[in-house]
Amino acid sequence: MVEGGFAKLFPKGSFFHAAQKYQPLGNGEPEEETHEECELKIIEQEKEVTVLPPKEACKCHKEDLAKALKVDFQTGLSEFSVLQRRLKHGWNEFSVENTEPIWKKYLDQFKNPLILLLLASALVSIITKEYEDAASITMAVLIVVTVAFIQEYRSEKSLEELNKLVPPECNCLREGKLQHLLARELVPGDIIHLSVGDRVPADLRLIEVTDLLVDESSFTGEAEPCNKTDSVLLEAGDITTLSNVVFMGTLVRCGKGKGVVIGTGENSQFGEVFKMMQAEETPKTPLQKSMDRLGKQLTLFSFGIIGLIMLVGWLQGKRLLSMFTIGVSLAVAAIPEGLPIVVTVTLVLGVLRMAKKRVIVKKLPIVETLGCCNVICSDKTGTLTANEMTVTQLVTSDGFQAEVSGVGYNGEGNVYLLPSKEVLKEFSNISVGKLVEAGCVVNNAIIRKNSVMGQPTEGALIALAMKMELADIKDLYVRKKEIPFSSEQRWMAVKCATKNQDEEDIYFMKGAFEEVLRYCTLYNSGGISLSLTPQQKAFYQQEEKRMGSSGLRVLALASGPELGKLTFLGLVGIIDPPRAGVREAVRVLFESGVSVKMITGDALETAVAIGQNIGLCNGKLKAMSGEELDHLAEAELSSAVKNVSIFFRTSPKHKLKIIKALQRAGAVVSMTGDGVNDAVALKSADIGIAMGRAGTDVSKEAANMILVDDDFSTVMNAIEEGKGIFYNIKNFVRFQLSTSISALSLITLSTVLNLPNPLNAMQILWINIIMDGPPAQSLGVEPVDRDTIKQPPRCITDTILSKSLILKIFMSAIIIISGTLFVFWKENPKGGITPRTTTMTFTCFVFFDLFNALTCRSQTKLIYEIGFFRNRMFLYSVLGSFLGQLAVIYIPPLQKVFQTENLGVLDLLFLTGLASSVFVVSEFVKLCEKRCCRPKHKKGHLN
């Protein structure tokens, strides 16, 4: 059965070659084997492949590695081998095991001092033979504990889902093809290609390197990047000395390399580090800390009131047990122990909503910070602009000019010589041909299925070569050496030899015009190298400025026998068109008080052209160069950067200075970027935002948020969501505190005035379930108000309990208390309290709660403005609570537990009308605020 299954999945040809490769040698002629036997033999051989410890792998020669891991370094593994190895070694990921079982987490809920007090009360009831009370209290405790447990469990599950949203990727050689795969799919023996900015996806033994520098700080704590080699080590010392091994989770800072996977998942060296990281607890957000403080203050206040109730009740001669039960039940209802949980759940749900909008938030605390963001510093290339760079203009060193049609990486389009509009192919014009050839050779990008694997700028040069039918010219050269691009030197060069010819080695260089020109002494004129004159340099400078002023990114290209004696070939103008929606996003952000600043390594003209195109700073542009930044003192810089909208010719060091200066000036700064040179700034900003598609692994590692579609306009959605979450939490706090104060005050007043208690212990606990349960939770998932983005950023020191919110809390509480006491007085006959009295009072309070929740959906907008049916979860939860209340009133077993009796239809209508008063008054106050404070709202303030 198994053998037949494999035969269907994998045709004979798919592993026939593998069967021959691993054919064991015998003394005589090899016997003919059946197909099934061949399959089983290969499966057994694949099972023999084991993980190689780094200290062993570093001493192995390449031939020994290939033999041990049963892989051909030129073609990689077959899909059949990958499947068999995965069955043995599993996925390349860490299984996050929950060390604490669910039942233990559930029992931990009983550690709450208030719950223990309630259980003590139930025990006292058993001792005094009040069995019904004991059963009722125990049941109520179970309900409260279960609600709290479900909330925490849901929060943890949501966070686990978030961890799956950012899968690391890698370039892997399989079956002779370079494939872009998720890192979790790797198995021992896979061949991985590494380049600048990649995160190492597994433990690798290097088999080929070019000036490879790897940052192992996340693994070893060493700040300086390590030089890597592919040479065999004679001695295996400490793992930090293994120069031919790179470890999972480390970052490629410079150069490129190729390695074979020797360890995956739990079997990698990073496995131990991961376990230590898991032990670290996530720090609480400022919002959570303030909520905890609020909870403690209210707890102390609540205990003071409860102590007073018990003391006064005891002095008045009431049963101490009864007062104790009432007091403890009231504590559970009054103390907002659910507040911190609600904050976490609200934040998590907000993060998941962002994920649906293609914005991934890696760290939960960032969600609340978004609403405070008032400055966005954005990298230009690949962030504000599209990710498909296209060559549109060429200027050769001898003065020829050409324009290029077609957009993107599909190779469609032509190169036209100006002014004749002659279509150029191959070397029909030698000067243009040589320029395009250089761009194709000094290049690490690959175009596959109309998408680029590598940097977009290099992809544009490959696409240009495709249009000239020169894309295969790269194959005429053998690369001997590469000097990779870095943000500091701003150029890249390769040393090549021509295949099958005894010509001398040749260098090809590309990079920023000023830097490349420094290495040139000659220029190309129709295939002949002539001495570079000042007049020629002036001409090139003028052309570079002209192209840059029209928004083109300008690259210079050169070639020659040695660096310092290169022949200048010409200039290539590449446009990175602004993304759709960026101009609109910049306008909306500007109107809402968020300043957008562009930071780029490009020249002034290029930066200004793009800035004007996207409407930066409403067209009033002020620019500053990186050189000017260096000459400003710290104090001057902090005041100067506030008014600058474009920073050009900047390095990573400059970007960091800008971020720090803005933060010193009191700004909450968000930084968006995609490159290696953005990583430091992304990490130092209050909110680091990386690009999901074009972004390097370094930038994604440093960032707190990732825009999956590389769409800058989705930043608006993120800020909108951040502001909405804060307002939702305020809505929840208003509802819970007004209910809590009402319940406390009701019992306090009745005790102090020597009146019978209007609510019994079970009824108070039922109110607590509504207060902490579905209706309250649904306020946290209220859809974001459409006008939220227009509101100015909130001050990071703003408290949840503003004066306006406190007034509204007390207003609602007074209405609820007055209405409930009125019903209690009206239904209280001279003969004493009856079940009808408590039922009417209890139902009145619950109805008040539900209407209060309805008006708490927004602090400023009327119900018809936010939409009655917009939050379906709220409607379902209120309906559920209403039906639950009817069940408590009309179902006999519940009547016994809650000490209620049937009510008539007119009673329900009366209570509904009275309870709606809290909603009507609150809506009327909102209407008055809108009319009286109209200018204030136009400025965009929310209370």
Side-chain angles (χ1 to χ4, degrees):
M1 184 74 180
V2 174
E3 293 168 9
F6 275 117
K8 286 177 185 176
L9 280 170
F10 302 98
K12 292 183 183 181
S14 67
F15 51 81
F16 180 70
H17 178 67
Q20 288 181 318
K21 189 181 293 183
Y22 303 137
Q23 182 76 34
L25 295 173
N27 295 326
E29 292 291 315
E31 295 179 9
E32 271 195 38
E33 293 179 324
T34 64
H35 178 61
E36 286 76 11
E37 287 173 343
C38 185
E39 274 184 8
L40 291 171
K41 190 167 284 186
I42 295 166
I43 291 169
E44 286 303 314
Q45 287 176 335
E46 291 296 341
K47 283 181 180 177
E48 290 171 11
V49 176
T50 58
V51 171
L52 281 178
K55 290 187 179 181
E56 286 182 24
C58 70
K59 293 186 283 188
C60 292
H61 289 274
K62 292 178 186 177
E63 298 78 16
D64 298 329
L65 276 174
K67 190 176 178 183
L69 295 167
K70 293 187 169 57
V71 62
D72 184 339
F73 290 162
Q74 302 305 313
T75 58
L77 295 174
S78 67
E79 291 299 332
F80 179 78
S81 296
V82 170
L83 179 65
Q84 294 306 313
R85 294 180 191 203
R86 189 172 295 135
L87 290 173
K88 180 179 179 181
H89 300 285
W91 294 97
N92 178 34
E93 60 187 5
F94 303 112
S95 55
V96 184
E97 290 181 9
N98 216 337
T99 51
E100 206 172 54
I102 291 178
W103 62 266
K104 192 174 184 303
K105 285 187 177 182
Y106 185 78
L107 290 180
D108 283 345
Q109 300 294 328
F110 289 91
K111 290 179 181 178
N112 188 318
L114 297 171
I115 297 297
L116 293 173
L117 272 174
L118 268 178
L119 290 174
S121 177
L123 185 62
V124 172
S125 298
I126 292 171
I127 293 167
T128 55
K129 298 184 179 179
E130 300 279 350
Y131 298 117
E132 284 188 5
D133 284 351
S136 303
I137 292 168
T138 305
M139 189 184 297
V141 165
L142 288 173
I143 292 169
V144 171
V145 162
T146 304
V147 168
F149 168 73
I150 289 170
Q151 287 171 348
E152 283 189 10
Y153 187 71
R154 186 173 68 177
S155 173
E156 285 178 12
K157 282 293 171 190
S158 299
L159 285 169
E160 280 179 25
E161 287 302 311
L162 287 180
N163 292 332
K164 298 174 185 175
L165 292 174
V166 194
E169 299 172 344
C170 62
N171 293 318
C172 177
L173 183 71
R174 283 187 185 166
E175 297 187 333
K177 295 177 186 175
L178 191 62
Q179 302 178 32
H180 199 60
L181 302 175
L182 293 178
R184 73 186 295 266
E185 297 177 24
L186 298 181
V187 295
D190 264 325
I191 308 299
I192 306 300
H193 286 237
L194 300 172
S195 57
V196 178
D198 286 351
R199 179 167 56 184
V200 179
D203 285 0
L204 308 178
R205 163 65 162 87
L206 296 168
I207 55 175
E208 195 177 297
V209 299
T210 306
D211 300 325
L212 189 64
L213 279 178
V214 177
D215 179 359
E216 295 184 341
S217 58
S218 62
F219 182 60
T220 63
E222 291 289 332
E224 288 294 313
C226 305
N227 272 303
K228 293 294 179 180
T229 176
D230 56 1
S231 306
V232 177
L233 299 184
L234 299 175
E235 292 284 331
D238 186 72
I239 54 170
T240 56
T241 64
L242 306 183
S243 59
N244 59 3
V245 175
V246 287
F247 300 102
M248 176 192 285
T250 56
L251 301 169
V252 179
R253 290 291 189 195
C254 183
K256 61 177 187 174
K258 193 160 79 171
V260 59
V261 175
I262 57 171
T264 58
E266 299 287 352
N267 295 316
S268 68
Q269 288 295 311
F270 198 70
E272 292 302 314
V273 180
F274 180 80
K275 287 168 191 170
M276 286 189 283
M277 283 164 50
Q278 288 295 104
E280 290 294 318
E281 286 189 17
T282 307
K284 287 188 176 180
T285 71
L287 181 62
Q288 282 176 314
K289 287 175 183 175
S290 64
M291 295 295 278
D292 284 348
R293 280 197 301 273
L294 178 66
K296 284 174 184 175
Q297 289 164 357
L298 293 171
T299 300
L300 291 172
F301 174 74
S302 301
F303 272 121
I305 296 293
I306 291 160
L308 179 66
I309 290 169
M310 291 187 68
L311 180 64
V312 172
W314 178 69
L315 291 172
Q316 290 173 346
K318 294 184 180 177
R319 287 179 64 203
L320 198 59
L321 176 64
S322 173
M323 295 310 299
F324 174 75
T325 307
I326 289 284
V328 174
S329 302
L330 193 59
V332 174
I335 295 167
E337 71 278 358
L339 270 179
I341 299 169
V342 168
V343 171
T344 305
V345 170
T346 306
L347 292 176
V348 168
L349 292 174
V351 166
L352 293 176
R353 280 202 300 270
M354 284 191 203
K356 288 178 184 174
K357 295 177 182 177
R358 314 294 284 165
V359 178
I360 293 170
V361 179
K362 286 167 64 180
K363 296 177 183 176
L364 206 57
I366 293 304
V367 184
E368 70 182 76
T369 315
L370 283 165
C372 306
C373 175
N374 50 19
V375 177
I376 296 177
C377 293
S378 179
D379 174 51
K380 178 183 74 66
T381 309
T383 306
L384 293 173
T385 52
N387 206 23
E388 290 194 336
M389 299 190 76
T390 308
V391 176
T392 56
Q393 289 185 31
L394 303 173
V395 176
T396 66
S397 52
D398 50 355
F400 285 108
Q401 294 196 11
E403 67 177 17
V404 186
S405 65
V407 178
Y409 307 118
N410 53 22
E412 293 175 7
N414 291 303
V415 179
Y416 301 96
L417 190 66
L418 298 177
S420 64
K421 290 282 185 178
E422 176 193 347
V423 176
L424 300 179
K425 296 289 180 185
E426 297 183 335
F427 287 94
S428 56
N429 181 293
I430 292 174
S431 298
V432 174
K434 275 187 158 297
L435 182 64
V436 174
E437 176 191 36
C440 187
V441 176
V442 62
N443 203 309
N444 289 322
I446 298 170
I447 290 180
R448 184 173 292 155
K449 294 180 181 177
N450 298 337
S451 62
V452 66
M453 293 174 71
Q455 293 298 321
T457 307
E458 293 190 331
L461 294 172
I462 297 287
L464 172 66
M466 289 163 69
K467 292 169 188 177
M468 287 276 288
E469 297 178 3
L470 288 172
D472 297 329
I473 201 161
K474 198 175 184 178
D475 299 334
L476 299 178
Y477 295 93
V478 177
R479 189 179 290 191
K480 288 186 168 183
K481 182 184 176 185
E482 178 184 332
I483 304 170
F485 177 87
S486 76
S487 306
E488 285 74 26
Q489 68 188 25
R490 294 170 50 224
W491 56 265
M492 171 193 174
V494 293
K495 182 182 180 182
C496 298
T498 51
K499 286 182 182 176
N500 307 320
Q501 291 184 34
D502 297 327
E503 295 178 15
E504 62 181 2
D505 292 345
I506 183 170
Y507 279 92
F508 291 94
M509 178 187 280
K510 75 168 187 293
F513 167 70
E514 303 95 325
E515 301 299 327
V516 172
L517 201 62
R518 283 175 51 212
Y519 291 86
C520 296
T521 55
L522 306 167
Y523 77 94
N524 174 59
S525 179
I528 301 167
S529 295
L530 303 176
S531 293
L532 197 57
T533 63
Q535 290 83 0
Q536 286 296 124
K537 287 184 180 180
F539 167 71
Y540 303 147
Q541 198 165 10
Q542 184 183 340
E543 286 298 307
E544 192 260 350
K545 192 172 182 179
R546 177 188 64 79
M547 293 166 78
S549 63
S550 60
L552 296 177
R553 183 171 184 178
V554 183
L555 280 181
L557 291 145
S559 65
E562 60 182 280
L563 296 178
K565 292 183 180 178
L566 299 179
T567 300
F568 189 75
L569 298 174
L571 301 169
V572 173
I574 304 172
I575 191 167
D576 188 9
R579 292 183 176 280
V582 167
R583 187 180 179 88
E584 175 65 14
V586 168
R587 183 188 64 78
V588 173
L589 288 168
F590 179 77
E591 288 175 359
S592 67
V594 180
S595 171
V596 180
K597 300 180 186 296
M598 181 166 70
I599 308 177
T600 178
D602 280 337
L604 173 64
E605 292 81 5
T606 310
V608 169
I610 294 292
Q612 288 173 337
N613 200 332
I614 63 174
L616 209 59
C617 206
N618 215 18
K620 299 168 187 174
L621 299 176
K622 187 179 177 184
M624 182 182 282
S625 68
E627 193 176 347
E628 288 175 89
L629 278 169
D630 288 330
H631 291 106
L632 287 176
E634 198 173 275
E636 291 176 304
L637 188 60
S638 294
S639 59
V641 292
K642 289 189 284 187
N643 303 315
V644 178
S645 50
I646 292 177
F647 296 91
F648 63 97
R649 288 296 187 219
T650 57
S651 66
K653 179 181 67 177
H654 294 135
K655 292 183 180 183
L656 184 61
K657 274 183 102 172
I658 294 162
I659 300 290
K660 294 291 184 188
L662 286 164
Q663 287 171 332
R664 279 195 302 272
V668 178
V669 185
S670 166
M671 172 74 196
T672 65
D674 65 333
V676 177
N677 58 341
D678 300 317
V680 181
L682 286 169
K683 199 162 189 176
S684 64
D686 295 290
I687 307 162
I689 305 173
M691 301 295 110
R693 289 181 181 172
T696 58
D697 280 351
V698 178
S699 63
K700 291 178 192 174
E701 185 78 21
N704 311 113
M705 272 174 57
I706 297 172
L707 306 182
V708 177
D709 294 330
D710 296 5
D711 186 355
F712 179 81
S713 59
T714 53
V715 173
M716 270 196 318
N717 293 333
I719 291 175
E720 189 176 54
E721 195 68 52
K723 289 178 179 178
I725 285 168
F726 182 76
Y727 295 129
N728 282 353
I729 290 170
K730 284 184 80 170
N731 296 341
F732 171 84
V733 168
R734 177 186 170 182
F735 170 70
Q736 195 171 49
L737 291 189
S738 55
T739 305
S740 176
I741 290 168
S742 301
L744 265 174
S745 304
L746 201 61
I747 306 298
T748 305
L749 285 170
S750 63
T751 305
V752 171
L753 298 174
N754 200 21
L755 297 171
N757 284 322
L759 301 171
N760 61 40
M762 287 306 301
Q763 290 166 355
I764 291 169
L765 288 170
W766 174 253
I767 290 165
N768 182 50
I769 290 167
I770 292 176
M771 190 172 77
D772 279 339
Q777 291 291 314
S778 62
L779 289 173
V781 296
E782 184 73 31
V784 176
D785 186 354
R786 296 178 185 90
D787 294 332
T788 298
I789 191 64
K790 297 174 185 175
Q791 309 304 324
R794 67 177 173 87
C795 179
I796 201 162
T797 57
D798 280 356
T799 57
I800 294 167
L801 282 177
S802 61
K803 286 181 183 177
S804 171
L805 191 64
I806 291 170
L807 288 172
K808 287 177 180 175
I809 286 169
F810 278 109
M811 179 191 73
S812 298
I814 289 166
I815 295 170
I816 294 170
I817 294 163
S818 304
T820 308
L821 283 176
F822 170 73
V823 171
F824 182 62
W825 170 79
K826 178 178 172 291
E827 297 294 332
N828 194 4
K830 291 177 183 178
I833 289 182
T834 63
R836 175 178 170 79
T837 307
T838 55
T839 306
M840 286 289 283
T841 309
F842 172 43
T843 307
C844 177
F845 194 94
V846 170
F847 281 15
F848 263 121
D849 249 11
L850 299 180
F851 276 108
N852 188 32
L854 183 62
T855 195
C856 285
R857 283 179 60 191
S858 173
Q859 303 302 316
T860 55
K861 291 203 167 186
L862 300 172
I863 189 69
Y864 73 86
E865 290 178 302
I866 58 175
F868 190 81
F869 298 101
R870 198 155 169 242
N871 187 349
R872 292 187 180 277
M873 189 180 287
F874 175 82
L875 293 177
Y876 295 146
S877 60
V878 168
L879 180 63
S881 299
F882 176 72
L883 294 175
Q885 182 63 24
L886 294 183
V888 164
I889 297 169
Y890 294 108
I891 295 176
L894 292 176
Q895 284 179 337
K896 238 180 183 183
V897 172
F898 288 92
Q899 297 172 21
T900 57
E901 67 172 34
N902 293 349
L903 296 179
V905 175
L906 289 177
D907 291 330
L908 292 177
L909 289 174
F910 165 70
L911 293 175
T912 303
L914 180 63
S916 66
S917 61
V918 71
F919 170 75
V920 172
V921 172
S922 294
E923 293 294 291
F924 180 71
V925 169
K926 289 180 196 175
L927 189 63
C928 292
E929 280 182 343
K930 286 175 82 72
R931 295 203 171 167
C932 299
C933 309
R934 191 162 288 171
K936 186 179 177 182
H937 282 287
K938 277 188 178 178
K939 287 178 186 175
H941 291 281
L942 278 177
N943 291 321

